[in-house]
Amino acid sequence: MPLSPIDPQIAALLKQFGVDGPPPATAPTVEEMRAGNRMLSLAVAPNPPIEVAPVRDDRLAGVPVRIYRPEAAGPAPAVVFLHGGGFIVGDLDTHDGVCRRLCRDLGAVVVSPDYRLAPEHPFPAAYDDCLAVARHVADHLADFGGGPLAVAGDSAGANLAAGVALAFRDEARPLAAQLLAYPVMDLRIGRDYPSRAECATGYLLTTDEVDNDIRLYLADDLTAGTRAPASPLLAESLRGLAPAVIGCGDLDPLRDEGLAYADALAAAGVPVTKHRYAGLIHGFINYDTHSQAVDAAVTQMYTELGQLLRPSTA
């Protein structure tokens, strides 16, 4: 299938921030990566912020979190949202707009962990933090809306969400749904998915950046990428997992492994809806107020997640 042209509104956005050209000749430092990601994320965030009930920073299971509550009173589902950033960058602020929209659109209590980042804290630190927070929410659902629980995330956060879903299945903990936006699901270095070559450069995230992030994340144990939970696609079994909504941009080096995970879930009998969005690049959910195509994709994915959390209204 030939690649679709990039969405013109996203192309204009990348040009506006000077990130539409080839990657720099010298790889940025971790500090530069974090500063650049934060700058772009905050620049494209909804302004003014989406209104929800008071937002509160807290700690759950020893992990810093931000908790978003819907304005409507009464029972509500809970969503543990795990931010993306290649396991290296990203924080509670970079995905604040994403969490606010999830809270508003789903009428859900959203809990976003500020999990530890590599390379200072390599695998499995981020996974351990996310799993600890998800377990705490699951064990105290009455404090978080009292409704069904879902996990969600984008990019590296989607990898972590899928890992949490695997652990919940193995622990027989109820989980109503998982939302995975352009997930990185196979952490073996040098995997030859067609999208890794087709979208190697020119669409913000590069294939070289993917491999560099994986090396920083796995550090001295690259063999962890040959199995779950680091690589959910390589789990021994996917049977019995929570229903999933998976959305990937057509112009994303991670596209094919995300779609492969959706197909593997379906083959294992897991209810799954998958989307390959024409013209969209990696990280697209952050651009919903700048692109009509992104807004439509995000609306579709959140609607499908809401139907899993509130099946009586589907």
Side-chain angles (χ1 to χ4, degrees):
M1 177 187 300
L3 293 179
S4 58
I6 189 170
D7 172 63
Q9 291 180 302
I10 289 182
L13 190 68
L14 299 184
K15 184 175 183 178
Q16 175 185 346
F17 290 101
V19 290
D20 59 330
T26 303
T29 65
V30 169
E31 291 74 19
E32 291 169 339
M33 291 165 58
R34 288 174 179 162
N37 172 264
R38 186 174 174 85
M39 180 277 295
L40 180 59
S41 298
L42 297 184
V44 300
N47 187 21
I50 294 170
E51 289 287 342
V52 296
V55 176
R56 180 169 61 94
D57 289 350
D58 202 345
R59 296 184 76 90
L60 300 179
V63 180
V65 300
R66 184 167 293 168
I67 303 172
Y68 304 77
R69 295 186 182 273
E71 293 186 333
V79 179
V80 175
F81 178 83
L82 311 175
H83 72 76
F87 310 102
I88 311 300
V89 306
D91 55 41
L92 296 179
D93 294 332
T94 61
H95 287 67
D96 182 72
V98 174
C99 291
R100 286 175 178 271
R101 179 167 179 177
L102 267 174
C103 178
R104 181 198 67 186
D105 288 8
L106 274 66
V109 177
V110 176
V111 179
S112 181
D114 193 15
Y115 58 83
R116 289 171 291 173
L117 299 175
E120 296 90 343
H121 305 284
F123 175 83
Y127 169 75
D128 289 344
D129 287 354
C130 295
L131 182 56
V133 171
R135 284 171 172 161
H136 179 95
V137 174
D139 291 344
H140 302 84
L141 272 177
D143 297 332
F144 300 96
L149 173 64
V151 291
D154 74 314
S155 189
N159 168 289
L160 295 167
V164 169
L166 284 163
F168 268 46
R169 177 204 59 189
D170 294 344
E171 296 169 1
R173 292 176 180 269
L175 190 66
Q178 49 182 324
L179 170 70
L180 311 177
Y182 38 87
V184 52
M185 303 305 275
D186 185 345
L187 301 194
R188 292 175 291 180
I189 298 293
R191 290 290 294 140
D192 58 352
Y193 294 101
S195 59
R196 294 283 187 98
E198 294 171 352
C199 309
T201 62
Y203 303 107
L204 193 60
L205 178 68
T206 70
T207 294
D208 284 347
E209 288 173 335
V210 172
D211 285 344
N212 182 60
D213 288 349
I214 291 172
R215 288 189 178 95
L216 291 173
Y217 178 52
L218 298 183
D220 296 329
D221 187 16
L222 292 180
T223 62
T226 65
R227 57 189 180 272
S231 293
L233 182 60
L234 306 182
E236 292 184 6
S237 172
L238 300 177
R239 293 190 177 278
L241 285 171
V245 177
I246 299 178
C248 303
D250 188 42
L251 306 176
D252 186 342
L254 301 181
R255 179 196 70 218
D256 289 342
E257 60 200 84
L259 298 177
Y261 192 66
D263 291 341
L265 289 176
V270 177
V272 58
T273 56
K274 72 171 182 177
H275 303 285
R276 176 174 173 168
Y277 291 113
L280 301 193
I281 65 171
H282 190 78
F284 65 77
I285 64 171
N286 288 87
Y287 310 142
D288 59 334
T289 58
H290 298 267
S291 162
Q292 294 175 352
V294 171
D295 183 60
V298 172
T299 297
Q300 182 178 49
M301 294 171 65
Y302 289 6
T303 298
E304 291 171 349
L305 176 62
Q307 290 169 346
L308 293 172
L309 290 172
R310 302 179 187 271
S312 61
T313 63

